Amino acid sequence: MAAAVQGAGIADRDATQEQTSEQDDRALAAVFKAYTISATCWLLFGTAVGLLLAFKFGAPDFWAEKYLTFGRLRPIHTNSVFYGFASIGLVGTAFYVTARSCGTRLYSTRLAWLGLWLFNIAALTGTIALDLGYNWGDLEYREWPWPIRLVLLAALLVTVWNLLATIARRASHDIYLSNWYIIGGFLWTCVICLVAILPWYQQGLGQVAISGYFMHNAVGMWFTPLALGLFYYAIPKVLNRPIYSYALGVLAFWTNLVFYPMLGGHHFLFSPLPWWLQTTAIICSVGMLVPVLGGSANFLLTMRGRYHGRIESYPLAFLFIGVLCYLVGSTQGTVEALRSLQAVWHFTSFTVGHSHLTMYGFVSFAVWGAIYALLPLATGKNPGRLGVATHFWLALVGMSIYVIALSIGGTLQGLDWVRGVPFIQSVAEMAPYYLWRGVGGILMFLSHLVFAWNVWRMTAGKPGNAPSPIMEPEGAAA
Amino acid sequence: MNPTRKMWVIFGGALALYVLIVMLIAVIPAIDLSHTAPGPGVQPLTPLHVQGREVFAGNGCGYCHTQQVRPLTEDKVFGRPSAPGDFSYQTPELLGSERTGPDLTNVGKVKPSDVWQYIHLYDPRAVVPQSIMPNFRFLFRVVDQLPAGETAVPLPAKFAPAHGYVVPTPQAKALVAYLLSLKQQPIPGYVAPAEAAPAAAPTAAVAPAAAGGYAYDAAKGQALFEANCAACHQASGAGVPGAFPPLKGNAAVASDDPGLHLRTVLHGASGVVIDGVKYSSVMPPFAAQLSDADIANIANYERSSWGNHGKPVTAAEVATLRAGSK
Ligand code: HEM
Ligand code: HEM
């Protein structure tokens, strides 16, 4: 089995596989390119809004007009980075990974374009609706009016159909691990969308149960499996060696499936939700250590002995940080879910730090790493070395400042409440931490501008001088 | 197994298992919870309150304000722990996940004055200088002539527009009506868990302290005043002209007889004429939140600050007035 996997996992175009025609390759590259460019636009828009939000914590009267008020821009930030940037970026790369790991062409390019349109229509109309004040109850990540969320569901269905049909065309008997995670993520997310829309069980407290379920299933059963799917392909690919353990990957898949869906209740610890639901969520949050440690160990062991390569190869550096933040962020989540610590951290900015450590450090770095590793293979154009390095360091330093500032500030905020000081004092004490968050945010945003430049060079512009993302196989290099 | 079969087995299995888990962990409990009976006194929302709630959600107030009180000591300032029956008519739910600002479950009790709410929405810093809440001026209009039946929002001069009157739009009115309707209903026979639980640290000797051993604690008095009173009367004691009376130089505070002063704090007031100005906004009662010693500390802080020289009060006097006027 390992040999087959190695073949599927590594080769860009491998002699043992069905030969795809040049025309098919060009079509696949065009799809990958278009999704990446679209994701980049949403990244720039969404994080410009994020930066403005961060600024508003220090200057609440700045741009407080109706269409620029904090409460309308905040869901625009979260939804556009979720469904615009991260989702479209992951989906475009997933097309490439699935087709390549199956050694076949994409089942339908037309469906891929249709999917791109649907994702963009949803994100665009969603943004407009939120700005006009059509917000469904401030229910995080499902604020869009339901017809718009149906468009998103349609995008998912069209895409998963396309991917399944691609996998059905594969030459080998095995289905490479990446595709387990990618298809799993799509199928589960269709269920998530449907459960979040149907109204019959969403009255009062019933809806609270669904909100808890939705918030962490959207991140845990959509972004997480897709990002992991990219890791399973891109890391072996860049390193030019097989994944350390196939079996560990399968174990992580099934344990992820069992534990993740059940931990949603941890968003409402100490709420009037039934105590058993909250306790199950806590137990499963601890159970999540199995897939998290298993998955991370698998990736890190695949990189074993090639650590110096992380510096030489920036795609690998991005992927490495992604793995690390997956490990650290998820472990942080487990600790956060324990009742004694929730009592301090719940409702504070500490949670916002966790959101960015995971969604930024893990998911966004995974997207960037996979794009830097794979897009040049598809288009034959490398970005500039300096550009990629600048993106990496700005994003990493910026995110670290952001997360550390909010982790410290959020903890102090929580302790203030426990000590029972007047609420407004806890607000005033956060000021320096909000400021540092903004400083980190500026670096992060600058890094996105550099990323956009790099994407331009990998697609339409003049290619740069970065070396091929694929490293020399062991022994070959001096 | 043929390759296509294999594909359907893996993905079909993963999907079926997921649907099963989702049913058990989310949908079935949610069906059950959707039928939670309303708690005692919990009423459906009026159309005006529904409209206000939409303004609330549409402008994202819920990203900074929760509406759920946890059974934790630190949450006691916001009210009793939320009960399942509190949420019967709350769809979409607005429990929230972040407290950049305070919980609003009981804001109708804590800040019962519509005037305060209007001033605060128009410019939060007009009443709470350290606030980082955005202003919601777009919910107000500035007019040159006051329309019949409208009252202008009495803004402090520093925050008022150069000319004209500020009047709330219908959305602002609906929003404030909704905010003022946010009040927990008492649950008969309910005892706060912190007090009921034997494990809770014994908060020793409240009664003896109230009876005899009271000593004025200036730092505590100031902290309590800033937490409970400064939003209206301002930390400077100067109040907000036309809306909230100054306590600096106030007759009730200066008087040797603490009756009016303490009764106002215990039971609240509205429509009182002070120094020739009639205040139509509401002063909330504090008897339920604050102990006798707390109230005495606040009163003494007021009596000895901003140039006031009132005769000090004792916790025993508060206890007598509290009992006497029941
Ligand atoms: C320039 C970079 C960014 C900045 C300055 C930024 C800033 C912010 C700010 C100020 C908030 C509101 C926090 C609050 O209400 O207390 C926020 C929320 C959020 N952002 Fe970002 N953000 C950035 C990038 C991203 C990216 C790339 C993602 C995801 C891929 C992301 C995901 C989120 C999420 C999930 C929340 C909600 C957090 C929660 O409710 O716990 N952000 N961000
Ligand atoms: C073992 C894994 C994880 C556990 C146990 C966990 C636990 C938690 C907990 C307890 C909260 C609620 C915090 C609060 O409200 O006080 C939370 C929030 C959050 N988590 Fe995780 N986490 C894990 C992994 C992840 C990953 C991998 C991601 C991103 C892909 C993620 C994204 C988020 C986001 C966005 C929120 C904010 C939700 C909101 O309030 O809007 N988490 N997590």
Side-chain angles (χ1 to χ4, degrees), chain A residues 199-219:
Chain A
W200 308 301
Y201 39 79
Q202 301 203 45
Q203 296 300 315
L205 208 52
Q207 192 175 48
V208 177
I210 299 298
S211 290
Y213 156 80
F214 182 83
M215 267 195 244
H216 227 286
N217 272 251
V219 295

Side-chain angles (χ1 to χ4, degrees), chain B:
Chain B
M1 215 191 296
N2 89 28
T4 314
R5 268 280 302 284
K6 176 168 180 164
M7 184 176 107
W8 292 120
V9 169
I10 295 178
F11 297 140
L15 181 62
L17 184 56
Y18 183 65
V19 170
L20 180 74
I21 295 175
V22 170
M23 283 293 158
L24 292 177
I25 197 72
V27 175
I28 293 174
I31 294 176
D32 184 33
L33 290 166
S34 288
H35 293 109
T36 308
V42 176
Q43 298 292 330
L45 273 68
T46 65
L48 182 65
H49 295 162
V50 170
Q51 197 199 336
R53 210 168 183 275
E54 277 161 14
V55 178
F56 187 94
N59 290 299
C61 310
Y63 297 108
C64 288
H65 293 289
T66 56
Q67 290 190 33
Q68 52 170 320
V69 183
R70 300 169 295 172
L72 298 174
T73 322
E74 58 183 281
D75 272 24
K76 271 170 90 181
V77 286
F78 299 124
R80 64 157 168 83
S82 299
D86 294 348
F87 301 100
S88 288
Y89 304 106
Q90 305 282 323
T91 312
E93 53 95 357
L94 287 173
L95 270 74
S97 68
E98 209 181 326
R99 280 186 189 156
T100 304
D103 186 87
L104 296 182
T105 304
N106 263 319
V107 74
K109 273 188 202 151
V110 180
K111 299 278 150 53
S113 153
D114 57 350
V115 173
W116 187 90
Q117 297 288 358
Y118 285 132
I119 298 178
H120 184 250
L121 280 174
Y122 185 83
D123 194 332
R125 279 147 295 283
V127 276
V128 185
Q130 288 161 297
S131 181
I132 59 163
M133 172 161 148
N135 72 58
F136 287 90
R137 283 191 201 142
F138 65 81
L139 293 174
F140 296 82
R141 281 180 305 139
V142 180
V143 293
D144 289 331
Q145 287 247 304
L146 209 53
E150 291 276 9
T151 4
V153 179
L155 288 157
K158 202 176 138 211
F159 297 91
H163 42 74
Y165 302 95
V166 173
V167 289
T169 60
Q171 282 120 304
K173 287 181 183 164
L175 176 61
V176 166
Y178 167 68
L179 290 173
L180 296 186
S181 78
L182 293 175
K183 289 178 196 159
Q184 282 182 324
Q185 299 300 323
I187 298 182
Y190 167 78
V191 194
E195 285 148 33
T203 41
V206 172
Y214 171 76
Y216 170 44
D217 180 340
K220 202 148 180 235
Q222 177 169 11
L224 284 164
F225 178 84
E226 275 162 14
N228 293 292
C229 324
C232 295
H233 297 292
Q234 301 299 298
S236 63
V240 175
F244 308 110
L247 298 181
K248 178 181 176 171
N250 174 289
V253 175
S255 162
D256 279 354
D257 172 9
L260 179 58
H261 186 182
L262 296 180
R263 263 197 306 275
T264 308
V265 181
L266 281 165
H267 308 300
S270 78
V272 179
V273 178
I274 303 167
D275 240 0
V277 181
K278 184 168 156 62
Y279 291 93
S280 57
S281 48
V282 186
M283 150 103 188
F286 286 89
Q289 286 106 296
L290 298 176
S291 70
D292 295 337
D294 285 346
I295 292 182
N297 275 328
I298 296 177
N300 285 331
Y301 174 72
E302 292 168 346
R303 285 171 169 258
S304 57
S305 305
W306 322 300
N308 288 351
H309 295 291
K311 191 172 145 247
V313 304
T314 65
E317 284 172 292
V318 181
T320 319
L321 282 167
R322 189 196 285 267
S325 47
K326 251 193 186 149

Side-chain angles (χ1 to χ4, degrees), chain A residues 83-160:
Chain A
Y83 302 116
F85 160 59
S87 298
I88 295 178
L90 288 167
V91 172
T93 325
F95 276 128
Y96 184 81
V97 168
T98 300
R100 277 290 179 258
S101 65
C102 290
T104 178
R105 67 169 169 82
L106 209 54
Y107 166 72
S108 160
T109 328
R110 298 255 301 275
L111 282 182
W113 291 114
L114 177 62
L116 183 60
W117 275 108
L118 291 174
F119 276 115
N120 273 297
I121 291 172
L124 194 66
T125 49
T127 300
I128 294 172
L130 288 174
D131 209 34
L132 293 177
Y134 296 101
N135 181 323
W136 194 50
D138 300 354
L139 302 176
E140 281 187 291
Y141 320 136
R142 50 176 184 145
E143 292 101 334
W144 291 346
W146 64 265
I148 298 179
R149 284 179 289 133
L150 277 183
V151 177
L152 181 69
L153 178 60
L156 293 171
L157 287 171
V158 166
T159 311
V160 72

